[in-house]
Amino acid sequence: MTPKAGTRYTLIPNQKYRRSNRRSRSRCNTSNSDSQSLSALGHFKMLPLEIFQIVLNYLSVKDISVLSMVSKTISSCLVNYISTSAGKRRLLLQDFHNPELPGKREGSYILEHYKSLGLLLKRCTFLLPTKDRLKSVHKILAEVSCFKLNGCLNPLNCVGLQCYGVFLQILTAGWDDLECHRVFNFLCELSKLPIRVQTAVSSKPGSARKLELRIRLYCRNVLLSHWIHQSDSAFWLTRILKPWPMVNQARLLYIIFGPVSSLDGHVVWQKMIEGPTDETSLKGLADAIKLLYDTEAKEWTADDVIGLVDELSVVPREWLLENKARLLILSGNNICFTFMASKAMNGRVIELARLMVFLALVCEKDLYYMDWAVKTMQKVCKVFNTVRERNNFLQCMENAFAHVVMDMLQSVLSGDRGEEDSSFINLFHLVNAQANFHKEILYLTMRSNII
């Protein structure tokens, strides 16, 4: 049926729908207008600033860091809050010298707090350039004296630098190398670290004990100790060492990782010279050397690391060979062999032979497998180009065994003998080391002949 001409445009349901739609849009526009008037603060705009800050007191630091991502405006308000006296009292905890609280592990609660604070300021300053981010963060933390290299009167019993370190680790996590370079330069400028290092490495060892301690604590706790990945640790250790000549690098490495007194925490410079030491005193140095030798440390070649080890073993004077051998063993197979191979290639055969003797002695004392020492000797023999050079090395090694035994025997005869005398015990271990070393060679020879 054909519709009437007068009813072609009388579609009432559609007209109602359009009117309803216009009204809906009108209400929506009004709502948007109200939302815009509230600005990026949302409904927080209705609250007086004092009430807003009271609300923040009921949130954890992690919750506040989540809130900071809502908008740029809220983020700015939070930065302003942190800068207020109330915000600083709440967020910049400073009970660094009394880290034990009931029910909390020693120091852990305040370290976790500064991790959360690092995340908060990372998010609040996300849109700023690196330089401005660092300035903004420093402005907030500047009043915390225990975050400064020379700021704390009792640094050995203070966790302030550790808190600063975990804060920086969270703040800079994910930053590229260029940004981290800027962070290091910024920290050097604040702490005057280069000037202080120059003074420490140029002075007579031990003459600036307090400064050495401050440098050690700052480098370890702020720059080195909190990284998860070896590549990050290698990056920061490289930043600390690379500006200096190798002689100063070795001195600085000893200041940061060398043995310290259990009484006052100061660096013990004579430890490697006066007598045999233990693994504990050398582990920090060995771990640092392994870190630099690793492929993640892109700015170091094998020759650089071997040269550094050579320089380190005469800080402050020539080490006892036993301590040098123990350091090489702790540094790992690759470094130990590379170091000895460099001696072989440079014709320092007598020095190499004596070092081989003390490698065997350390294996005997510290209960390492003696066949490792024999295999190391075999690998070193392959470095020599001719049979004559190899035989000369083997002869030098046997002569070294004999000379070291005689030296130790003379030391025993010239002093008080007895089971507790260190000279007698050293001689005992050396004789056993020589016997076990040659036993492994005999086993190896017999197996080869049978095959």
Side-chain angles (χ1 to χ4, degrees):
M1 182 175 174
T2 305
K4 294 180 180 180
T7 61
R8 283 182 304 177
Y9 302 105
T10 57
L11 300 175
I12 295 174
N14 287 342
Q15 288 173 340
K16 285 184 177 178
Y17 173 76
R18 285 196 295 270
R19 282 199 300 272
S20 173
N21 191 38
R22 284 196 298 271
R23 285 172 185 158
S24 174
R25 285 178 182 175
S26 175
R27 285 195 296 269
C28 184
N29 290 338
T30 303
S31 175
N32 286 340
S33 176
D34 292 340
S35 177
Q36 289 171 3
S37 69
L38 292 177
S39 79
L41 281 174
H43 293 289
F44 285 115
K45 177 88 172 176
M46 302 179 195
L47 297 177
L49 181 61
E50 295 80 2
I51 303 300
F52 177 65
Q53 293 183 358
I54 290 174
V55 171
L56 293 179
N57 288 335
Y58 285 91
L59 299 178
S60 69
V61 182
K62 287 185 178 179
D63 290 337
I64 296 174
S65 73
V66 174
L67 179 62
S68 71
M69 295 189 292
V70 171
S71 71
K72 183 178 178 180
T73 305
I74 286 184
S75 179
S76 299
C77 288
L78 292 176
V79 171
N80 292 334
Y81 166 69
I82 298 170
S83 301
T84 64
S85 57
K88 288 178 180 178
R89 282 196 304 272
R90 163 82 195 285
L91 297 174
L92 297 183
L93 303 183
Q94 297 192 44
D95 49 343
F96 302 122
H97 304 90
N98 185 28
E100 293 187 55
L101 290 180
K104 303 197 178 196
R105 226 174 15 172
E106 182 178 351
S108 63
Y109 82 96
I110 196 167
L111 290 174
E112 289 301 319
H113 172 82
Y114 274 97
K115 283 183 181 179
S116 299
L117 184 60
L119 183 60
L120 169 57
L121 290 178
K122 185 187 187 80
R123 288 170 171 173
C124 284
T125 61
F126 181 73
L127 297 176
L128 297 176
T130 301
K131 188 175 181 179
D132 293 336
R133 294 180 84 175
L134 295 174
K135 286 182 178 179
S136 177
V137 169
H138 172 65
K139 185 177 179 181
I140 294 170
L141 302 182
E143 296 178 16
V144 184
S145 61
C146 290
F147 285 175
K148 301 172 184 177
L149 188 146
N150 256 347
C152 182
L153 298 176
N154 188 15
L156 283 175
N157 297 309
C158 177
V159 295
L161 290 179
Q162 295 178 51
C163 291
Y164 193 34
V166 298
F167 173 89
L168 286 173
Q169 188 266 325
I170 296 296
L171 179 71
T172 60
W175 291 16
D176 61 31
D177 287 354
L178 181 59
E179 290 175 311
C180 289
H181 269 282
R182 291 185 180 128
V183 174
F184 181 75
N185 292 336
F186 186 78
L187 293 174
C188 284
E189 185 178 348
L190 289 180
S191 63
K192 296 182 174 57
L193 184 63
I195 297 173
R196 291 185 163 116
V197 168
Q198 178 66 53
T199 301
V201 297
S202 301
S203 304
K204 182 180 178 181
S207 63
R209 298 169 68 216
K210 291 183 179 180
L211 180 58
E212 292 168 359
L213 175 61
R214 298 277 185 177
I215 291 171
R216 179 188 179 95
L217 293 176
Y218 189 85
C219 290
R220 289 170 71 107
N221 293 330
V222 176
L223 302 176
L224 297 173
S225 297
H226 308 290
W227 300 105
I228 299 172
H229 303 293
Q230 279 197 332
S231 57
D232 292 324
S233 299
F235 172 86
W236 289 98
L237 183 56
T238 300
R239 301 283 70 73
I240 294 170
L241 295 179
K242 270 297 184 180
W244 306 101
M246 190 169 289
V247 174
N248 291 344
Q249 287 177 8
R251 286 277 297 272
L252 185 53
L253 200 67
Y254 195 97
I255 288 172
I256 298 173
F257 296 106
V260 295
S261 169
S262 58
L263 299 176
D264 56 17
H266 291 134
V267 179
V268 182
W269 290 97
Q270 306 301 317
K271 185 83 169 180
M272 307 301 170
I273 302 166
E274 294 177 343
T277 189
D278 55 11
E279 290 185 2
T280 305
S281 299
L282 289 163
K283 188 177 186 306
L285 291 168
D287 288 344
I289 291 166
K290 284 191 286 188
L291 192 65
L292 298 177
Y293 191 82
D294 191 80
T295 53
E296 298 288 352
K298 301 173 183 177
E299 297 175 59
W300 298 83
T301 66
D303 287 342
D304 290 337
V305 179
I306 296 308
L308 184 59
V309 174
D310 229 358
E311 288 290 347
L312 183 64
S313 64
V314 293
V315 172
R317 297 192 304 278
E318 185 79 31
W319 288 13
L320 295 180
L321 271 175
E322 181 178 331
N323 294 334
K324 191 172 183 177
R326 186 170 280 110
L327 175 67
L328 289 173
I329 290 175
L330 292 174
S331 297
N333 292 347
N334 291 335
I335 293 173
C336 183
F337 169 72
T338 305
F339 184 86
M340 299 185 74
S342 70
K343 300 287 184 188
M345 289 186 290
N346 291 323
R348 298 162 72 172
V349 179
I350 295 176
E351 182 181 342
L352 176 62
R354 285 179 59 82
L355 184 57
M356 193 70 241
V357 169
F358 281 94
L359 283 177
L361 176 60
V362 172
C363 286
E364 178 66 26
K365 277 189 170 184
D366 296 352
L367 304 179
Y368 295 119
Y369 290 112
M370 191 61 75
D371 65 338
W372 173 85
V374 173
K375 289 176 182 177
T376 301
M377 180 199 69
Q378 285 183 301
K379 289 176 67 177
V380 171
C381 284
K382 294 178 181 179
V383 175
F384 295 104
N385 294 322
T386 64
V387 175
R388 182 177 179 179
E389 289 177 338
R390 184 179 68 239
N391 291 342
N392 179 51
F393 163 65
L394 295 174
Q395 182 64 57
C396 287
M397 191 174 65
E398 292 304 318
N399 292 340
F401 264 116
H403 290 154
V404 174
V405 167
M406 293 302 297
D407 289 342
M408 288 191 179
L409 180 60
Q410 185 176 2
S411 178
V412 170
L413 295 176
S414 63
D416 296 327
R417 286 175 293 172
E419 291 184 355
E420 301 300 323
D421 181 65
S422 61
S423 299
F424 179 81
I425 294 173
N426 276 341
L427 177 60
F428 171 79
H429 283 304
L430 180 61
V431 171
N432 279 337
Q434 186 177 22
N436 288 326
F437 185 80
H438 288 97
K439 178 187 70 177
E440 291 296 334
I441 293 176
L442 290 174
Y443 285 164
L444 188 65
T445 304
M446 292 302 294
R447 281 196 294 268
S448 298
N449 287 339
I450 290 173
I451 292 174

